[in-house]
Amino acid sequence: MFFASDNWAGAHPNIVAGLSANAGGYSTAYGDGALDQAVYQRFNEIFEREVAVFFVATGTAANSLALTAYNKPGGISFAHRESHVIEDECGAPSYFSGGSRLHEIDGALGKVDPHNLERTIGRFAPEIVHWGRPMAVSITQSTEVGTVYGLHEIETISAIAKQHSVPLHMDGARFANALVALDTTPAEMTWKRGVDILSFGGTKNGCWCAEAIVLFDPDRAKELAFLRKRAAQLFSKSRFVAAQFEAYFKDGLWLDTARHANAMAARLAAAIEDSATAKLAWLPQANEVFAVIKKAEAERLQAAGAAFYDWNRPHGFDGHISEDELLYRFVTSFATTAEDVDRFGLMLA
């Protein structure tokens, strides 16, 4: 009953087999091998256009370099106050960009509120040297609290970014989970809605260690190549990242694993709803479930082998939490089984 994080899950057997199949022999290094090139082409097919793809090791590296690709002196990137780039990356975006700033935007349940974004970004007139100037807008899909931006919401935020002549970045650590939740295509959820650059995550969804920056403006690729090298993110044996993505995309595996994770989250949410000792904080949209549980009950569940974490109350959550209760996060993955969820539900009951 491991619901602490999808990072706790191992690698999907197909990913492992892909790594093993490409472990022998020789291949051109530094991303120029035949397998690398084939995977770049696969990204083009998935996104229905030519894109520039840069493999990196972590989501933090992807986010930091993606924002740095649009760096400018005095630059400010705008993101939700509870986003990963602001709360969980130890200042890496500012570090890699040489001192750009991150500015918090409020919004209910993990999503940037367009009105708040418009009002805040408008405070920084780019011609006034004292304040700093807008550099980028970043949204997380799906969000840190398991909610998903609809296509129209992405388009609305993109329009605000474009009005202020800055790019829209999407942190897609759980990109596939959001994609299947919306039942849409990668193109529709990104560049067709105005996304300029994407952090494409595979690690949380069955890969061993596979993240990528997808740049929808290939003209910026040359500069990003140098940024990645300087950040020590250019792998010599990049075929091992490519091998993961090759297996990840084959026969729609990445979509199947995401659908499974989301289905397990829905199953878990139903078990919590049926319980007399816990209550859903809000309805899950992807693979994260949040519940209000009495602290003593949570400790009993954890002692019985269920792994999950308490969580800070997100902005915009207006549900009641009493003195003896806490908010807890549960995350499902490709490795979560119905038996795990049902066993947890029985314990709750």
Side-chain angles (χ1 to χ4, degrees):
M1 298 177 291
F2 292 97
F3 307 117
S5 172
D6 35 14
N7 287 321
W8 283 37
H12 191 280
N14 292 20
I15 306 293
V16 176
L19 283 164
S20 179
N22 288 278
Y26 294 85
S27 176
T28 307
Y30 298 110
D32 292 328
L35 181 58
D36 299 287
Q37 297 298 327
V39 170
Y40 301 153
Q41 179 56 34
R42 188 73 182 99
F43 271 96
N44 290 341
E45 294 166 1
I46 286 169
F47 285 98
E48 303 174 38
R49 60 173 291 170
E50 182 184 355
V51 296
V53 180
F54 298 84
F55 300 151
V56 294
T58 68
T60 294
N63 290 338
S64 300
L65 291 175
L67 293 175
T68 301
Y70 292 89
N71 188 31
K72 60 182 71 171
I76 303 169
S77 297
F78 301 85
H80 192 273
R81 66 165 54 251
E82 291 146 5
S83 64
H84 204 273
V85 294
I86 287 181
E87 287 207 335
D88 297 288
E89 293 181 353
C90 198
S94 298
Y95 174 78
F96 279 100
S97 64
S100 70
R101 287 183 286 161
L102 293 166
H103 200 289
E104 300 173 347
I105 303 294
D106 284 335
L109 297 181
K111 295 199 284 189
V112 167
D113 181 278
H115 175 73
N116 291 338
L117 175 63
E118 177 65 71
R119 182 178 58 189
T120 304
I121 199 172
R123 290 172 42 202
F124 296 92
E127 67 274 10
I128 299 180
V129 71
H130 305 286
W131 300 341
R133 52 185 171 165
M135 184 177 94
V137 174
S138 178
I139 60 173
T140 308
Q141 180 78 321
S142 57
T143 74
E144 297 300 317
V145 295
T147 52
V148 173
Y149 287 92
L151 300 183
H152 179 68
E153 290 176 300
I154 298 171
E155 202 165 47
T156 299
I157 291 171
S158 173
I160 296 169
K162 300 300 182 288
Q163 179 186 340
H164 293 273
S165 302
V166 297
L168 177 60
H169 164 250
M170 178 180 283
D171 176 356
R174 295 186 174 96
F175 183 86
N177 300 97
L179 190 71
V180 299
L182 292 176
D183 191 24
T184 189
T185 68
E188 289 290 348
M189 200 171 79
T190 54
W191 64 269
K192 288 187 177 182
R193 303 294 158 177
V195 175
D196 297 283
I197 192 165
L198 165 70
S199 298
F200 183 92
T203 305
K204 294 180 187 295
N205 192 36
C207 289
W208 167 67
C209 179
E211 306 288 313
I213 302 167
V214 179
L215 185 57
F216 299 107
D217 179 7
D219 290 340
R220 286 188 173 266
K222 184 175 180 180
E223 289 300 312
L224 187 50
F226 280 90
L227 290 171
R228 179 179 62 168
K229 174 63 175 178
R230 190 178 66 174
Q233 288 292 316
L234 176 60
F235 301 109
S236 58
K237 297 183 180 181
S238 63
R239 62 170 147 155
F240 292 109
V241 181
Q244 293 176 73
F245 278 129
E246 179 189 46
Y248 189 60
F249 294 139
K250 187 176 181 180
D251 298 327
L253 176 67
W254 67 300
L255 303 176
D256 290 341
T257 51
R259 288 190 190 99
H260 175 80
N262 288 8
M264 291 300 98
R267 191 183 188 103
L268 179 60
I272 291 170
E273 278 194 311
D274 289 343
S275 166
T277 58
K279 57 188 177 185
L280 279 179
W282 53 86
L283 289 174
Q285 293 180 285
N287 67 316
E288 296 173 276
V289 180
F290 290 80
V292 177
I293 308 175
K294 291 186 182 297
K295 287 181 276 189
E297 174 68 1
E299 289 169 2
R300 181 185 73 81
L301 294 167
Q302 290 165 335
F308 56 93
Y309 290 129
D310 59 286
W311 206 256
N312 291 328
R313 185 190 305 231
H315 180 81
F317 172 62
D318 55 5
H320 177 71
I321 300 179
S322 63
E323 288 288 327
D324 62 344
E325 294 176 326
L326 283 175
L327 180 66
Y328 294 91
R329 186 190 76 161
F330 301 79
V331 189
T332 53
S333 74
F334 79 94
T336 305
T337 67
E339 290 75 18
D340 291 336
V341 174
D342 293 346
R343 185 154 60 99
F344 181 80
L346 286 172
M347 289 170 54
L348 266 180

